[in-house]
């Protein structure tokens, strides 16, 4: 068997450049399989440099191999650059799906929950009836929960309200519009923050600041609850899709399906949501689930639509995804957020 795996190490005497590069790629594949990632990277890089620009298929395979090697070598930034380049050059849904799974693997290795969630959301926007990606998304939201809890506890200790300083010093930080953990960092202008306030107003000022601090803490608790809701909704969507496909499955595929459904049922109990809430979530998350749509999704042809049209098929941000899938539930489940800014204004 070992000899069969290494047949391409033999001298072939071929003068065909493409064949020679293909053999080098096979050497890289074998090195990767043996977890010799530096050696595999060298083989892939050598092939990539010499491949003609017209050999798109092998170029993509080799670049994906490079990215996966770089992840194992801890060079995540370079891996992400390759993945981004592959995404920009994707010309059909099959290519884009492969690239998004690559990005998911890289972000998971980095343990970057926000980017991992965004990758899954992009995959789901491309394949909304794939139950396994919905399950992964639910697990990612669950992983986000403990991180939020830790930040909340830390933030409540670190928040400080200084006279003459309008900033709430918070341990919550975010990097941009796609951030899932966004909380207010500044308070509106108000005389209670003025250092010139007389001592007779100290007690009133302290009470106002305490009210605002409590309001911000409640806001953070609301975000924790919302994250739980998204996880629950994603799990319910997973179960609905699995229930629809189980009649077509047998053997180990059916066993995996039923086992996953039971695991989801157990998780539903842990959430502790009321039955009418779960029914509402199931209704919203199953609105588009009909057998005909599932059948079309499974047997759909690869769409060769070009980079521009492909971009339109995939969501641009987590907000866009969550507005589409969770807005109806959120409006019923988290009315606090809509009142938050109004309450801040009233308090100050």
């Amino acid at each position: 068997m070992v000899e069969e795996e290494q047949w391409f190490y033999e001298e072939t005497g071929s003068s065909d450049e493409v064949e020679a590069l293909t053999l080098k790629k096979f050497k890289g594949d074998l090195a990767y399989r043996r977890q010799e990632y530096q050696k595999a990277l060298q083989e892939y890089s050598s092939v990539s440099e010499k491949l003609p620009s017209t050999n798109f298929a092998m170029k993509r395979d080799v670049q994906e191999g490079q990215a996966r090697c770089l992840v194992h070598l801890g060079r995540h930034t370079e891996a992400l650059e390759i993945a981004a380049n592959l995404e920009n050059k994707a010309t059909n849904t099959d290519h884009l799906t492969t690239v998004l799974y690559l990005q998911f693997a890289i972000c998971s290795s980095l343990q970057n929950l926000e980017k991992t969630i965004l990758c899954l959301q992009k995959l789901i926007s491309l394949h909304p009836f794939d139950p396994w990606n919905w399950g992964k998304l639910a697990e990612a939201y669950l992983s986000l929960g403990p991180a939020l809890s830790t930040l909340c506890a830390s933030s409540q200790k670190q928040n400080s309200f200084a006279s003459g300083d309008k900033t709430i010093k918070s341990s919550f930080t975010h990097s941009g519009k796609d951030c899932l953990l966004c909380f207010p960092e500044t308070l509106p202008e108000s005389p209670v923050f003025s250092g010139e306030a007389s001592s007779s107003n100290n007690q009133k000022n302290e009470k106002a600041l305490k009210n605002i601090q409590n309001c911000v803490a409640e806001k953070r608790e609301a975000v924790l609850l919302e994250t739980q809701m998204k996880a629950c909704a994603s799990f319910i969507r997973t179960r609905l899709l699995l229930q629809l496909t189980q009649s077509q499955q047998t053997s180990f595929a059916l066993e995996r399906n039923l086992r996953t459904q039971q695991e989801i049922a157990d998780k539903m109990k842990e959430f502790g949501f009321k039955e009418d809430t779960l029914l509402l979530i199931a209704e919203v998350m199953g609105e588009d689930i009909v057998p005909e749509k599932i059948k079309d999704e499974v047997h759909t042809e690869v769409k060769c639509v070009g980079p521009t049209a492909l971009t339109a098929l995939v969501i641009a941000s987590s907000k866009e995804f969550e507005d589409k899938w969770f807005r109806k539930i959120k409006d019923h489940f988290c009315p606090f957020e809509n009142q938050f800014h109004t309450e801040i204004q009233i308090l100050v």
Side-chain angles (χ1 to χ4, degrees):
M1 182 67 181
V2 175
E3 291 179 0
E4 290 178 2
E5 287 180 349
Q6 301 183 54
W7 63 266
F8 42 79
Y9 277 99
E10 298 175 5
E11 293 294 331
T12 62
S14 173
S15 59
D16 187 297
E17 185 177 6
V18 174
E19 183 178 344
L21 292 173
T22 302
L23 294 180
K24 284 185 72 67
K25 179 190 176 297
F26 287 159
K27 292 177 183 178
D29 293 341
L30 180 58
Y32 184 89
R33 181 178 175 183
R34 292 174 170 174
Q35 300 182 10
E36 299 170 353
Y37 301 117
Q38 186 61 51
K39 182 178 179 180
L41 179 61
Q42 290 171 353
E43 296 286 5
Y44 290 140
S45 299
S46 175
V47 174
S48 183
E49 290 171 3
K50 297 174 183 177
L51 266 178
S53 57
T54 53
N55 196 334
F56 302 113
M58 190 184 294
K59 189 80 169 178
R60 281 194 305 272
D61 287 347
V62 168
Q63 287 182 325
E64 181 180 346
Q66 286 178 295
R68 293 189 182 280
C69 288
L70 288 167
V71 170
H72 286 290
L73 294 171
R75 295 158 63 179
H76 295 89
T77 301
E78 295 169 76
L80 284 171
E81 288 175 359
I82 292 175
N85 181 54
L86 286 169
E87 183 179 3
N88 292 333
K89 292 181 178 179
T91 57
N92 61 51
T93 51
D94 190 29
H95 295 166
L96 185 55
T97 300
T98 300
V99 173
L100 289 174
Y101 275 120
L102 173 61
Q103 292 178 344
F104 169 70
I106 297 170
C107 294
S108 297
S109 177
L110 272 171
Q111 296 186 327
N112 187 321
L113 281 173
E114 288 184 39
K115 289 186 177 179
T116 298
I117 286 172
L118 181 59
C119 287
L120 288 169
Q121 290 170 340
K122 286 183 175 182
L123 279 164
I124 288 170
S125 66
L126 205 57
H127 304 288
F129 300 109
D130 183 333
W132 305 111
N133 285 333
W134 278 104
K136 291 173 187 173
L137 179 62
E139 294 289 354
Y141 279 129
L142 280 186
S143 297
L144 196 61
L148 276 167
S149 298
T150 301
L151 285 171
C152 276
S154 174
S155 180
Q156 288 187 345
K157 292 179 181 179
Q158 295 180 26
N159 280 347
S160 64
F161 297 81
S163 177
D165 183 0
K166 294 177 293 180
T167 301
I168 301 177
K169 297 177 182 177
S170 173
S171 64
F172 287 93
T173 58
H174 56 85
S175 56
K177 64 181 180 180
D178 292 338
C179 177
L180 301 172
L181 318 178
C182 296
F183 301 99
E185 295 180 356
T186 59
L187 295 172
E189 295 281 352
S190 172
V192 300
F193 294 103
S194 171
E196 299 175 357
S198 63
S199 57
S200 61
N201 288 329
N202 283 347
Q203 187 174 0
K204 180 180 178 181
N205 294 347
E206 185 177 331
K207 183 178 179 181
L209 290 171
K210 184 67 175 176
N211 287 338
I212 294 171
Q213 187 177 18
N214 289 339
C215 190
V216 172
E218 288 176 17
K219 167 63 177 175
R220 292 184 175 121
E221 290 300 319
V223 173
L224 283 170
L225 181 62
E226 182 182 327
T227 302
Q228 260 200 327
M229 175 272 292
K230 293 171 187 174
C232 180
S234 299
F235 273 129
I236 287 177
R237 172 83 175 180
T238 304
R239 184 176 61 183
L240 290 172
L241 291 168
L242 289 173
Q243 288 171 344
L244 196 62
T245 57
Q246 73 180 57
S247 62
Q248 305 165 17
Q249 296 174 326
T250 58
S251 188
F252 64 89
L254 180 59
E255 289 178 13
R256 183 190 181 195
N257 183 326
L258 296 175
R259 184 172 64 251
T260 303
Q261 286 190 50
Q262 184 57 52
E263 290 171 357
I264 290 173
D266 294 339
K267 285 186 171 69
M268 291 300 101
K269 297 176 184 177
E270 294 175 12
F271 283 120
F273 294 148
K274 294 180 179 179
E275 189 61 31
D276 59 342
T277 298
L278 295 176
L279 288 173
L280 170 70
I281 295 174
E283 181 182 345
V284 173
M285 298 307 291
E287 284 178 344
D288 66 328
I289 298 179
V290 292
E292 291 75 16
K293 283 192 175 184
I294 299 293
K295 185 178 179 181
D296 290 342
E297 169 70 10
V298 172
H299 297 98
T300 187
E301 293 182 3
V302 175
K303 298 177 182 177
C304 301
V305 293
T308 304
L310 274 178
T311 302
L313 295 176
V314 180
I315 53 96
S317 67
S318 285
K319 184 180 185 305
E320 182 183 341
F321 178 92
E322 292 176 357
D323 281 347
K324 176 181 178 179
W325 289 101
F326 305 134
R327 174 56 61 184
K328 288 183 182 178
I329 303 169
K330 186 177 175 183
D331 288 344
H332 173 83
F333 202 67
C334 304
F336 176 80
E337 180 169 343
N338 299 327
Q339 304 168 5
F340 177 67
H341 294 292
T342 303
E343 291 177 5
I344 281 284
Q345 294 295 333
I346 292 171
L347 286 169
V348 300

